[in-house]
Amino acid sequence: AQSVTQPDIHITVSEGASLELRCNYSYGATPYLFWYVQSPGQGLQLLLKYFSGDTLVQGIKGFEAEFKRSQSSFNLRKPSVHWSDAAEYFCAVGGNNDYKLSFGAGTTVTVRA
Amino acid sequence: GAGVSQSPSNKVTEKGKDVELRCDPISGHTALYWYRQSLGQGLEFLIYFQGNSAPDKSGLPSDRFSAERTGGSVSTLTIQRTQQEDSAVYLCASSATGVSYNEQFFGPGTRLTVL
């Protein structure tokens, strides 16, 4: 069965500091990995995705993520956070010809001035 | 262009009443998904449509939940005899085709409160 674990429920970071959100997955075949962001009262927006190739993927809003097969991880990073990055972040896993995505429980990011 | 829209944005109902939640996917998207997001939880998959067919209803919590899709477009999620544990945000998503490498585009959700 596929599953996603986001170990950090809540992270507080100062504006301008770096951010790293952890994601570990379990999937029986080659995974497709996604990070979504949800701002208050909004739907989910795709930040980035990994299917194959370069294990470091760039996304929107200055985010990047690194796929590490040996660690079953797909951690999200941003070098310098802005107050507008305060939101909830979800990691998700799917696979080739697999319509369903499995989502983690999410990590809430608070940005302090 | 227009994204996924959902209505109503908020719904407050009394325990035991029936509710209908509507989703308008992006035009031309053949795949449609319903998820439930409870407080402090991730997204729980409910049902998947490919066209008007629902090949996977495995996530529906009970037989009080049903969904349909007509014309390969609009979908309605119906909850009969609502219970307090049904309170959640119900999210709809659509994608161009029903494979996971196609991005799922999400609507803003319907917040359901059962009193």
Side-chain angles (χ1 to χ4, degrees), chain B residues 8-14 19-21 65 79 82-90 109-115:
Chain B
S9 55
N10 281 283
K11 177 70 176 179
V12 180
T13 190
E14 294 179 347
V19 296
E20 286 189 352
L21 313 180
F65 287 72
I79 308 174
T82 52
Q83 304 294 312
Q84 288 183 334
E85 60 263 29
D86 299 333
S87 295
V89 176
Y90 290 81
T110 294
R111 181 175 297 278
L112 175 66
T113 303
V114 182
L115 302 177

mmCIF file with all atom_site columns, all heavy atoms in Angstrom, chain B residues 8-14 19-21 65 79 82-90 109-115:
data_model
loop_
_atom_site.group_PDB
_atom_site.id
_atom_site.type_symbol
_atom_site.label_atom_id
_atom_site.label_alt_id
_atom_site.label_comp_id
_atom_site.label_asym_id
_atom_site.label_entity_id
_atom_site.label_seq_id
_atom_site.pdbx_PDB_ins_code
_atom_site.Cartn_x
_atom_site.Cartn_y
_atom_site.Cartn_z
_atom_site.occupancy
_atom_site.B_iso_or_equiv
_atom_site.pdbx_formal_charge
_atom_site.auth_seq_id
_atom_site.auth_comp_id
_atom_site.auth_asym_id
_atom_site.auth_atom_id
_atom_site.pdbx_PDB_model_num
ATOM 1   N N   . PRO B 1 8   ? -21.861 24.758 -2.495 1.00 0.00 ? 8   PRO B N   1
ATOM 2   C CA  . PRO B 1 8   ? -21.561 26.067 -1.931 1.00 0.00 ? 8   PRO B CA  1
ATOM 3   C C   . PRO B 1 8   ? -20.161 26.100 -1.327 1.00 0.00 ? 8   PRO B C   1
ATOM 4   O O   . PRO B 1 8   ? -19.529 25.069 -1.186 1.00 0.00 ? 8   PRO B O   1
ATOM 5   C CB  . PRO B 1 8   ? -22.632 26.202 -0.847 1.00 0.00 ? 8   PRO B CB  1
ATOM 6   C CG  . PRO B 1 8   ? -22.853 24.787 -0.380 1.00 0.00 ? 8   PRO B CG  1
ATOM 7   C CD  . PRO B 1 8   ? -22.730 23.939 -1.627 1.00 0.00 ? 8   PRO B CD  1
ATOM 8   N N   . SER B 1 9   ? -19.693 27.266 -0.966 1.00 0.00 ? 9   SER B N   1
ATOM 9   C CA  . SER B 1 9   ? -18.390 27.347 -0.313 1.00 0.00 ? 9   SER B CA  1
ATOM 10  C C   . SER B 1 9   ? -18.491 26.924 1.150  1.00 0.00 ? 9   SER B C   1
ATOM 11  O O   . SER B 1 9   ? -17.546 26.365 1.707  1.00 0.00 ? 9   SER B O   1
ATOM 12  C CB  . SER B 1 9   ? -17.823 28.755 -0.417 1.00 0.00 ? 9   SER B CB  1
ATOM 13  O OG  . SER B 1 9   ? -18.728 29.697 0.103  1.00 0.00 ? 9   SER B OG  1
ATOM 14  N N   . ASN B 1 10  ? -19.619 27.192 1.736  1.00 0.00 ? 10  ASN B N   1
ATOM 15  C CA  . ASN B 1 10  ? -19.899 26.789 3.111  1.00 0.00 ? 10  ASN B CA  1
ATOM 16  C C   . ASN B 1 10  ? -21.304 26.227 3.198  1.00 0.00 ? 10  ASN B C   1
ATOM 17  O O   . ASN B 1 10  ? -22.217 26.752 2.553  1.00 0.00 ? 10  ASN B O   1
ATOM 18  C CB  . ASN B 1 10  ? -19.779 27.972 4.072  1.00 0.00 ? 10  ASN B CB  1
ATOM 19  C CG  . ASN B 1 10  ? -18.357 28.297 4.433  1.00 0.00 ? 10  ASN B CG  1
ATOM 20  O OD1 . ASN B 1 10  ? -17.738 27.620 5.233  1.00 0.00 ? 10  ASN B OD1 1
ATOM 21  N ND2 . ASN B 1 10  ? -17.822 29.327 3.815  1.00 0.00 ? 10  ASN B ND2 1
ATOM 22  N N   . LYS B 1 11  ? -21.455 25.191 4.002  1.00 0.00 ? 11  LYS B N   1
ATOM 23  C CA  . LYS B 1 11  ? -22.767 24.608 4.210  1.00 0.00 ? 11  LYS B CA  1
ATOM 24  C C   . LYS B 1 11  ? -22.889 24.203 5.668  1.00 0.00 ? 11  LYS B C   1
ATOM 25  O O   . LYS B 1 11  ? -22.070 23.439 6.178  1.00 0.00 ? 11  LYS B O   1
ATOM 26  C CB  . LYS B 1 11  ? -22.960 23.395 3.304  1.00 0.00 ? 11  LYS B CB  1
ATOM 27  C CG  . LYS B 1 11  ? -24.271 22.658 3.486  1.00 0.00 ? 11  LYS B CG  1
ATOM 28  C CD  . LYS B 1 11  ? -25.446 23.460 2.978  1.00 0.00 ? 11  LYS B CD  1
ATOM 29  C CE  . LYS B 1 11  ? -26.739 22.661 3.071  1.00 0.00 ? 11  LYS B CE  1
ATOM 30  N NZ  . LYS B 1 11  ? -27.907 23.455 2.586  1.00 0.00 ? 11  LYS B NZ  1
ATOM 31  N N   . VAL B 1 12  ? -23.908 24.744 6.318  1.00 0.00 ? 12  VAL B N   1
ATOM 32  C CA  . VAL B 1 12  ? -24.215 24.353 7.681  1.00 0.00 ? 12  VAL B CA  1
ATOM 33  C C   . VAL B 1 12  ? -25.546 23.621 7.646  1.00 0.00 ? 12  VAL B C   1
ATOM 34  O O   . VAL B 1 12  ? -26.526 24.129 7.088  1.00 0.00 ? 12  VAL B O   1
ATOM 35  C CB  . VAL B 1 12  ? -24.288 25.570 8.621  1.00 0.00 ? 12  VAL B CB  1
ATOM 36  C CG1 . VAL B 1 12  ? -24.617 25.111 10.044 1.00 0.00 ? 12  VAL B CG1 1
ATOM 37  C CG2 . VAL B 1 12  ? -22.983 26.352 8.601  1.00 0.00 ? 12  VAL B CG2 1
ATOM 38  N N   . THR B 1 13  ? -25.579 22.451 8.228  1.00 0.00 ? 13  THR B N   1
ATOM 39  C CA  . THR B 1 13  ? -26.798 21.657 8.202  1.00 0.00 ? 13  THR B CA  1
ATOM 40  C C   . THR B 1 13  ? -27.017 20.998 9.555  1.00 0.00 ? 13  THR B C   1
ATOM 41  O O   . THR B 1 13  ? -26.122 20.957 10.399 1.00 0.00 ? 13  THR B O   1
ATOM 42  C CB  . THR B 1 13  ? -26.728 20.596 7.097  1.00 0.00 ? 13  THR B CB  1
ATOM 43  O OG1 . THR B 1 13  ? -28.008 19.990 6.920  1.00 0.00 ? 13  THR B OG1 1
ATOM 44  C CG2 . THR B 1 13  ? -25.711 19.503 7.447  1.00 0.00 ? 13  THR B CG2 1
ATOM 45  N N   . GLU B 1 14  ? -28.217 20.516 9.730  1.00 0.00 ? 14  GLU B N   1
ATOM 46  C CA  . GLU B 1 14  ? -28.542 19.823 10.976 1.00 0.00 ? 14  GLU B CA  1
ATOM 47  C C   . GLU B 1 14  ? -28.349 18.324 10.788 1.00 0.00 ? 14  GLU B C   1
ATOM 48  O O   . GLU B 1 14  ? -28.595 17.771 9.705  1.00 0.00 ? 14  GLU B O   1
ATOM 49  C CB  . GLU B 1 14  ? -29.982 20.123 11.391 1.00 0.00 ? 14  GLU B CB  1
ATOM 50  C CG  . GLU B 1 14  ? -30.213 21.584 11.755 1.00 0.00 ? 14  GLU B CG  1
ATOM 51  C CD  . GLU B 1 14  ? -31.659 21.823 12.145 1.00 0.00 ? 14  GLU B CD  1
ATOM 52  O OE1 . GLU B 1 14  ? -32.504 20.939 11.901 1.00 0.00 ? 14  GLU B OE1 1
ATOM 53  O OE2 . GLU B 1 14  ? -31.952 22.908 12.679 1.00 0.00 ? 14  GLU B OE2 1
ATOM 54  N N   . VAL B 1 19  ? -27.379 16.550 2.195  1.00 0.00 ? 19  VAL B N   1
ATOM 55  C CA  . VAL B 1 19  ? -26.705 17.679 1.556  1.00 0.00 ? 19  VAL B CA  1
ATOM 56  C C   . VAL B 1 19  ? -26.163 17.254 0.198  1.00 0.00 ? 19  VAL B C   1
ATOM 57  O O   . VAL B 1 19  ? -25.819 16.084 -0.017 1.00 0.00 ? 19  VAL B O   1
ATOM 58  C CB  . VAL B 1 19  ? -25.547 18.254 2.412  1.00 0.00 ? 19  VAL B CB  1
ATOM 59  C CG1 . VAL B 1 19  ? -26.076 18.843 3.711  1.00 0.00 ? 19  VAL B CG1 1
ATOM 60  C CG2 . VAL B 1 19  ? -24.481 17.214 2.671  1.00 0.00 ? 19  VAL B CG2 1
ATOM 61  N N   . GLU B 1 20  ? -26.083 18.220 -0.706 1.00 0.00 ? 20  GLU B N   1
ATOM 62  C CA  . GLU B 1 20  ? -25.486 18.010 -2.025 1.00 0.00 ? 20  GLU B CA  1
ATOM 63  C C   . GLU B 1 20  ? -24.379 19.022 -2.230 1.00 0.00 ? 20  GLU B C   1
ATOM 64  O O   . GLU B 1 20  ? -24.576 20.223 -2.048 1.00 0.00 ? 20  GLU B O   1
ATOM 65  C CB  . GLU B 1 20  ? -26.538 18.174 -3.130 1.00 0.00 ? 20  GLU B CB  1
ATOM 66  C CG  . GLU B 1 20  ? -27.502 17.019 -3.235 1.00 0.00 ? 20  GLU B CG  1
ATOM 67  C CD  . GLU B 1 20  ? -28.380 17.115 -4.474 1.00 0.00 ? 20  GLU B CD  1
ATOM 68  O OE1 . GLU B 1 20  ? -28.337 18.155 -5.164 1.00 0.00 ? 20  GLU B OE1 1
ATOM 69  O OE2 . GLU B 1 20  ? -29.112 16.145 -4.758 1.00 0.00 ? 20  GLU B OE2 1
ATOM 70  N N   . LEU B 1 21  ? -23.231 18.530 -2.635 1.00 0.00 ? 21  LEU B N   1
ATOM 71  C CA  . LEU B 1 21  ? -22.084 19.372 -2.912 1.00 0.00 ? 21  LEU B CA  1
ATOM 72  C C   . LEU B 1 21  ? -21.768 19.253 -4.394 1.00 0.00 ? 21  LEU B C   1
ATOM 73  O O   . LEU B 1 21  ? -21.750 18.159 -4.949 1.00 0.00 ? 21  LEU B O   1
ATOM 74  C CB  . LEU B 1 21  ? -20.871 18.927 -2.075 1.00 0.00 ? 21  LEU B CB  1
ATOM 75  C CG  . LEU B 1 21  ? -21.124 18.678 -0.586 1.00 0.00 ? 21  LEU B CG  1
ATOM 76  C CD1 . LEU B 1 21  ? -19.843 18.245 0.108  1.00 0.00 ? 21  LEU B CD1 1
ATOM 77  C CD2 . LEU B 1 21  ? -21.712 19.909 0.089  1.00 0.00 ? 21  LEU B CD2 1
ATOM 78  N N   . PHE B 1 65  ? -22.989 8.008  1.618  1.00 0.00 ? 65  PHE B N   1
ATOM 79  C CA  . PHE B 1 65  ? -22.285 8.849  0.648  1.00 0.00 ? 65  PHE B CA  1
ATOM 80  C C   . PHE B 1 65  ? -22.476 8.287  -0.757 1.00 0.00 ? 65  PHE B C   1
ATOM 81  O O   . PHE B 1 65  ? -22.318 7.080  -0.975 1.00 0.00 ? 65  PHE B O   1
ATOM 82  C CB  . PHE B 1 65  ? -20.786 8.886  0.956  1.00 0.00 ? 65  PHE B CB  1
ATOM 83  C CG  . PHE B 1 65  ? -20.407 9.686  2.145  1.00 0.00 ? 65  PHE B CG  1
ATOM 84  C CD1 . PHE B 1 65  ? -20.698 9.239  3.438  1.00 0.00 ? 65  PHE B CD1 1
ATOM 85  C CD2 . PHE B 1 65  ? -19.751 10.903 2.016  1.00 0.00 ? 65  PHE B CD2 1
ATOM 86  C CE1 . PHE B 1 65  ? -20.341 9.986  4.550  1.00 0.00 ? 65  PHE B CE1 1
ATOM 87  C CE2 . PHE B 1 65  ? -19.379 11.647 3.124  1.00 0.00 ? 65  PHE B CE2 1
ATOM 88  C CZ  . PHE B 1 65  ? -19.678 11.191 4.381  1.00 0.00 ? 65  PHE B CZ  1
ATOM 89  N N   . ILE B 1 79  ? -24.536 13.491 0.538  1.00 0.00 ? 79  ILE B N   1
ATOM 90  C CA  . ILE B 1 79  ? -24.422 12.836 1.842  1.00 0.00 ? 79  ILE B CA  1
ATOM 91  C C   . ILE B 1 79  ? -25.827 12.801 2.432  1.00 0.00 ? 79  ILE B C   1
ATOM 92  O O   . ILE B 1 79  ? -26.452 13.849 2.644  1.00 0.00 ? 79  ILE B O   1
ATOM 93  C CB  . ILE B 1 79  ? -23.473 13.587 2.786  1.00 0.00 ? 79  ILE B CB  1
ATOM 94  C CG1 . ILE B 1 79  ? -22.128 13.846 2.110  1.00 0.00 ? 79  ILE B CG1 1
ATOM 95  C CG2 . ILE B 1 79  ? -23.273 12.781 4.064  1.00 0.00 ? 79  ILE B CG2 1
ATOM 96  C CD1 . ILE B 1 79  ? -21.185 14.723 2.929  1.00 0.00 ? 79  ILE B CD1 1
ATOM 97  N N   . THR B 1 82  ? -26.940 13.229 7.350  1.00 0.00 ? 82  THR B N   1
ATOM 98  C CA  . THR B 1 82  ? -25.636 13.676 7.812  1.00 0.00 ? 82  THR B CA  1
ATOM 99  C C   . THR B 1 82  ? -25.425 13.451 9.303  1.00 0.00 ? 82  THR B C   1
ATOM 100 O O   . THR B 1 82  ? -26.363 13.545 10.107 1.00 0.00 ? 82  THR B O   1
ATOM 101 C CB  . THR B 1 82  ? -25.414 15.163 7.498  1.00 0.00 ? 82  THR B CB  1
ATOM 102 O OG1 . THR B 1 82  ? -26.533 15.920 8.006  1.00 0.00 ? 82  THR B OG1 1
ATOM 103 C CG2 . THR B 1 82  ? -25.261 15.411 6.016  1.00 0.00 ? 82  THR B CG2 1
ATOM 104 N N   . GLN B 1 83  ? -24.187 13.178 9.638  1.00 0.00 ? 83  GLN B N   1
ATOM 105 C CA  . GLN B 1 83  ? -23.752 12.987 11.024 1.00 0.00 ? 83  GLN B CA  1
ATOM 106 C C   . GLN B 1 83  ? -22.688 14.029 11.340 1.00 0.00 ? 83  GLN B C   1
ATOM 107 O O   . GLN B 1 83  ? -22.043 14.577 10.442 1.00 0.00 ? 83  GLN B O   1
ATOM 108 C CB  . GLN B 1 83  ? -23.177 11.580 11.211 1.00 0.00 ? 83  GLN B CB  1
ATOM 109 C CG  . GLN B 1 83  ? -24.124 10.463 10.818 1.00 0.00 ? 83  GLN B CG  1
ATOM 110 C CD  . GLN B 1 83  ? -25.333 10.399 11.726 1.00 0.00 ? 83  GLN B CD  1
ATOM 111 O OE1 . GLN B 1 83  ? -25.199 10.430 12.954 1.00 0.00 ? 83  GLN B OE1 1
ATOM 112 N NE2 . GLN B 1 83  ? -26.525 10.316 11.145 1.00 0.00 ? 83  GLN B NE2 1
ATOM 113 N N   . GLN B 1 84  ? -22.452 14.249 12.615 1.00 0.00 ? 84  GLN B N   1
ATOM 114 C CA  . GLN B 1 84  ? -21.472 15.262 13.008 1.00 0.00 ? 84  GLN B CA  1
ATOM 115 C C   . GLN B 1 84  ? -20.072 14.909 12.513 1.00 0.00 ? 84  GLN B C   1
ATOM 116 O O   . GLN B 1 84  ? -19.293 15.809 12.181 1.00 0.00 ? 84  GLN B O   1
ATOM 117 C CB  . GLN B 1 84  ? -21.494 15.452 14.526 1.00 0.00 ? 84  GLN B CB  1
ATOM 118 C CG  . GLN B 1 84  ? -22.738 16.170 15.012 1.00 0.00 ? 84  GLN B CG  1
ATOM 119 C CD  . GLN B 1 84  ? -22.730 16.434 16.504 1.00 0.00 ? 84  GLN B CD  1
ATOM 120 O OE1 . GLN B 1 84  ? -22.090 15.713 17.267 1.00 0.00 ? 84  GLN B OE1 1
ATOM 121 N NE2 . GLN B 1 84  ? -23.443 17.466 16.924 1.00 0.00 ? 84  GLN B NE2 1
ATOM 122 N N   . GLU B 1 85  ? -19.785 13.633 12.410 1.00 0.00 ? 85  GLU B N   1
ATOM 123 C CA  . GLU B 1 85  ? -18.451 13.243 11.944 1.00 0.00 ? 85  GLU B CA  1
ATOM 124 C C   . GLU B 1 85  ? -18.252 13.499 10.447 1.00 0.00 ? 85  GLU B C   1
ATOM 125 O O   . GLU B 1 85  ? -17.128 13.371 9.937  1.00 0.00 ? 85  GLU B O   1
ATOM 126 C CB  . GLU B 1 85  ? -18.166 11.761 12.233 1.00 0.00 ? 85  GLU B CB  1
ATOM 127 C CG  . GLU B 1 85  ? -19.115 10.791 11.578 1.00 0.00 ? 85  GLU B CG  1
ATOM 128 C CD  . GLU B 1 85  ? -20.230 10.350 12.524 1.00 0.00 ? 85  GLU B CD  1
ATOM 129 O OE1 . GLU B 1 85  ? -20.594 11.128 13.424 1.00 0.00 ? 85  GLU B OE1 1
ATOM 130 O OE2 . GLU B 1 85  ? -20.715 9.214  12.327 1.00 0.00 ? 85  GLU B OE2 1
ATOM 131 N N   . ASP B 1 86  ? -19.327 13.894 9.765  1.00 0.00 ? 86  ASP B N   1
ATOM 132 C CA  . ASP B 1 86  ? -19.195 14.256 8.356  1.00 0.00 ? 86  ASP B CA  1
ATOM 133 C C   . ASP B 1 86  ? -18.654 15.671 8.184  1.00 0.00 ? 86  ASP B C   1
ATOM 134 O O   . ASP B 1 86  ? -18.313 16.080 7.064  1.00 0.00 ? 86  ASP B O   1
ATOM 135 C CB  . ASP B 1 86  ? -20.541 14.161 7.639  1.00 0.00 ? 86  ASP B CB  1
ATOM 136 C CG  . ASP B 1 86  ? -21.131 12.765 7.658  1.00 0.00 ? 86  ASP B CG  1
ATOM 137 O OD1 . ASP B 1 86  ? -20.359 11.784 7.752  1.00 0.00 ? 86  ASP B OD1 1
ATOM 138 O OD2 . ASP B 1 86  ? -22.375 12.653 7.599  1.00 0.00 ? 86  ASP B OD2 1
ATOM 139 N N   . SER B 1 87  ? -18.603 16.424 9.261  1.00 0.00 ? 87  SER B N   1
ATOM 140 C CA  . SER B 1 87  ? -18.086 17.795 9.186  1.00 0.00 ? 87  SER B CA  1
ATOM 141 C C   . SER B 1 87  ? -16.634 17.765 8.721  1.00 0.00 ? 87  SER B C   1
ATOM 142 O O   . SER B 1 87  ? -15.791 17.091 9.305  1.00 0.00 ? 87  SER B O   1
ATOM 143 C CB  . SER B 1 87  ? -18.168 18.467 10.556 1.00 0.00 ? 87  SER B CB  1
ATOM 144 O OG  . SER B 1 87  ? -19.504 18.617 10.967 1.00 0.00 ? 87  SER B OG  1
ATOM 145 N N   . ALA B 1 88  ? -16.357 18.503 7.648  1.00 0.00 ? 88  ALA B N   1
ATOM 146 C CA  . ALA B 1 88  ? -15.036 18.499 7.022  1.00 0.00 ? 88  ALA B CA  1
ATOM 147 C C   . ALA B 1 88  ? -15.070 19.465 5.851  1.00 0.00 ? 88  ALA B C   1
ATOM 148 O O   . ALA B 1 88  ? -16.115 20.025 5.516  1.00 0.00 ? 88  ALA B O   1
ATOM 149 C CB  . ALA B 1 88  ? -14.659 17.105 6.535  1.00 0.00 ? 88  ALA B CB  1
ATOM 150 N N   . VAL B 1 89  ? -13.917 19.621 5.229  1.00 0.00 ? 89  VAL B N   1
ATOM 151 C CA  . VAL B 1 89  ? -13.854 20.324 3.946  1.00 0.00 ? 89  VAL B CA  1
ATOM 152 C C   . VAL B 1 89  ? -13.803 19.269 2.845  1.00 0.00 ? 89  VAL B C   1
ATOM 153 O O   . VAL B 1 89  ? -12.981 18.355 2.881  1.00 0.00 ? 89  VAL B O   1
ATOM 154 C CB  . VAL B 1 89  ? -12.620 21.243 3.860  1.00 0.00 ? 89  VAL B CB  1
ATOM 155 C CG1 . VAL B 1 89  ? -12.527 21.882 2.472  1.00 0.00 ? 89  VAL B CG1 1
ATOM 156 C CG2 . VAL B 1 89  ? -12.683 22.324 4.939  1.00 0.00 ? 89  VAL B CG2 1
ATOM 157 N N   . TYR B 1 90  ? -14.704 19.405 1.896  1.00 0.00 ? 90  TYR B N   1
ATOM 158 C CA  . TYR B 1 90  ? -14.767 18.463 0.781  1.00 0.00 ? 90  TYR B CA  1
ATOM 159 C C   . TYR B 1 90  ? -14.153 19.144 -0.445 1.00 0.00 ? 90  TYR B C   1
ATOM 160 O O   . TYR B 1 90  ? -14.625 20.187 -0.890 1.00 0.00 ? 90  TYR B O   1
ATOM 161 C CB  . TYR B 1 90  ? -16.205 18.028 0.529  1.00 0.00 ? 90  TYR B CB  1
ATOM 162 C CG  . TYR B 1 90  ? -16.708 17.146 1.645  1.00 0.00 ? 90  TYR B CG  1
ATOM 163 C CD1 . TYR B 1 90  ? -17.180 17.700 2.836  1.00 0.00 ? 90  TYR B CD1 1
ATOM 164 C CD2 . TYR B 1 90  ? -16.659 15.760 1.545  1.00 0.00 ? 90  TYR B CD2 1
ATOM 165 C CE1 . TYR B 1 90  ? -17.598 16.894 3.889  1.00 0.00 ? 90  TYR B CE1 1
ATOM 166 C CE2 . TYR B 1 90  ? -17.081 14.939 2.586  1.00 0.00 ? 90  TYR B CE2 1
ATOM 167 C CZ  . TYR B 1 90  ? -17.536 15.520 3.754  1.00 0.00 ? 90  TYR B CZ  1
ATOM 168 O OH  . TYR B 1 90  ? -17.944 14.716 4.793  1.00 0.00 ? 90  TYR B OH  1
ATOM 169 N N   . GLY B 1 109 ? -12.963 24.075 -2.357 1.00 0.00 ? 109 GLY B N   1
ATOM 170 C CA  . GLY B 1 109 ? -13.567 23.244 -1.329 1.00 0.00 ? 109 GLY B CA  1
ATOM 171 C C   . GLY B 1 109 ? -14.908 23.753 -0.848 1.00 0.00 ? 109 GLY B C   1
ATOM 172 O O   . GLY B 1 109 ? -15.270 24.925 -1.020 1.00 0.00 ? 109 GLY B O   1
ATOM 173 N N   . THR B 1 110 ? -15.663 22.837 -0.259 1.00 0.00 ? 110 THR B N   1
ATOM 174 C CA  . THR B 1 110 ? -16.898 23.157 0.458  1.00 0.00 ? 110 THR B CA  1
ATOM 175 C C   . THR B 1 110 ? -16.699 22.774 1.918  1.00 0.00 ? 110 THR B C   1
ATOM 176 O O   . THR B 1 110 ? -16.400 21.617 2.208  1.00 0.00 ? 110 THR B O   1
ATOM 177 C CB  . THR B 1 110 ? -18.107 22.381 -0.108 1.00 0.00 ? 110 THR B CB  1
ATOM 178 O OG1 . THR B 1 110 ? -18.384 22.807 -1.433 1.00 0.00 ? 110 THR B OG1 1
ATOM 179 C CG2 . THR B 1 110 ? -19.334 22.605 0.773  1.00 0.00 ? 110 THR B CG2 1
ATOM 180 N N   . ARG B 1 111 ? -16.862 23.762 2.789  1.00 0.00 ? 111 ARG B N   1
ATOM 181 C CA  . ARG B 1 111 ? -16.749 23.469 4.226  1.00 0.00 ? 111 ARG B CA  1
ATOM 182 C C   . ARG B 1 111 ? -18.124 23.073 4.738  1.00 0.00 ? 111 ARG B C   1
ATOM 183 O O   . ARG B 1 111 ? -19.052 23.881 4.731  1.00 0.00 ? 111 ARG B O   1
ATOM 184 C CB  . ARG B 1 111 ? -16.226 24.687 4.987  1.00 0.00 ? 111 ARG B CB  1
ATOM 185 C CG  . ARG B 1 111 ? -16.078 24.433 6.484  1.00 0.00 ? 111 ARG B CG  1
ATOM 186 C CD  . ARG B 1 111 ? -15.442 25.621 7.184  1.00 0.00 ? 111 ARG B CD  1
ATOM 187 N NE  . ARG B 1 111 ? -14.095 25.874 6.703  1.00 0.00 ? 111 ARG B NE  1
ATOM 188 C CZ  . ARG B 1 111 ? -13.016 25.228 7.118  1.00 0.00 ? 111 ARG B CZ  1
ATOM 189 N NH1 . ARG B 1 111 ? -13.134 24.276 8.044  1.00 0.00 ? 111 ARG B NH1 1
ATOM 190 N NH2 . ARG B 1 111 ? -11.833 25.526 6.631  1.00 0.00 ? 111 ARG B NH2 1
ATOM 191 N N   . LEU B 1 112 ? -18.251 21.837 5.172  1.00 0.00 ? 112 LEU B N   1
ATOM 192 C CA  . LEU B 1 112 ? -19.515 21.313 5.682  1.00 0.00 ? 112 LEU B CA  1
ATOM 193 C C   . LEU B 1 112 ? -19.467 21.249 7.195  1.00 0.00 ? 112 LEU B C   1
ATOM 194 O O   . LEU B 1 112 ? -18.539 20.666 7.764  1.00 0.00 ? 112 LEU B O   1
ATOM 195 C CB  . LEU B 1 112 ? -19.787 19.925 5.106  1.00 0.00 ? 112 LEU B CB  1
ATOM 196 C CG  . LEU B 1 112 ? -21.019 19.203 5.645  1.00 0.00 ? 112 LEU B CG  1
ATOM 197 C CD1 . LEU B 1 112 ? -22.298 19.932 5.243  1.00 0.00 ? 112 LEU B CD1 1
ATOM 198 C CD2 . LEU B 1 112 ? -21.066 17.753 5.179  1.00 0.00 ? 112 LEU B CD2 1
ATOM 199 N N   . THR B 1 113 ? -20.454 21.844 7.823  1.00 0.00 ? 113 THR B N   1
ATOM 200 C CA  . THR B 1 113 ? -20.596 21.776 9.272  1.00 0.00 ? 113 THR B CA  1
ATOM 201 C C   . THR B 1 113 ? -21.937 21.151 9.595  1.00 0.00 ? 113 THR B C   1
ATOM 202 O O   . THR B 1 113 ? -22.981 21.638 9.150  1.00 0.00 ? 113 THR B O   1
ATOM 203 C CB  . THR B 1 113 ? -20.521 23.174 9.906  1.00 0.00 ? 113 THR B CB  1
ATOM 204 O OG1 . THR B 1 113 ? -19.277 23.791 9.540  1.00 0.00 ? 113 THR B OG1 1
ATOM 205 C CG2 . THR B 1 113 ? -20.606 23.081 11.426 1.00 0.00 ? 113 THR B CG2 1
ATOM 206 N N   . VAL B 1 114 ? -21.888 20.060 10.344 1.00 0.00 ? 114 VAL B N   1
ATOM 207 C CA  . VAL B 1 114 ? -23.109 19.371 10.746 1.00 0.00 ? 114 VAL B CA  1
ATOM 208 C C   . VAL B 1 114 ? -23.335 19.628 12.232 1.00 0.00 ? 114 VAL B C   1
ATOM 209 O O   . VAL B 1 114 ? -22.493 19.257 13.065 1.00 0.00 ? 114 VAL B O   1
ATOM 210 C CB  . VAL B 1 114 ? -23.013 17.865 10.466 1.00 0.00 ? 114 VAL B CB  1
ATOM 211 C CG1 . VAL B 1 114 ? -24.318 17.164 10.858 1.00 0.00 ? 114 VAL B CG1 1
ATOM 212 C CG2 . VAL B 1 114 ? -22.691 17.620 8.991  1.00 0.00 ? 114 VAL B CG2 1
ATOM 213 N N   . LEU B 1 115 ? -24.433 20.271 12.543 1.00 0.00 ? 115 LEU B N   1
ATOM 214 C CA  . LEU B 1 115 ? -24.716 20.626 13.941 1.00 0.00 ? 115 LEU B CA  1
ATOM 215 C C   . LEU B 1 115 ? -25.474 19.528 14.664 1.00 0.00 ? 115 LEU B C   1
ATOM 216 O O   . LEU B 1 115 ? -26.205 18.747 14.049 1.00 0.00 ? 115 LEU B O   1
ATOM 217 C CB  . LEU B 1 115 ? -25.540 21.923 13.981 1.00 0.00 ? 115 LEU B CB  1
ATOM 218 C CG  . LEU B 1 115 ? -24.878 23.139 13.311 1.00 0.00 ? 115 LEU B CG  1
ATOM 219 C CD1 . LEU B 1 115 ? -25.816 24.337 13.363 1.00 0.00 ? 115 LEU B CD1 1
ATOM 220 C CD2 . LEU B 1 115 ? -23.555 23.464 14.004 1.00 0.00 ? 115 LEU B CD2 1
#
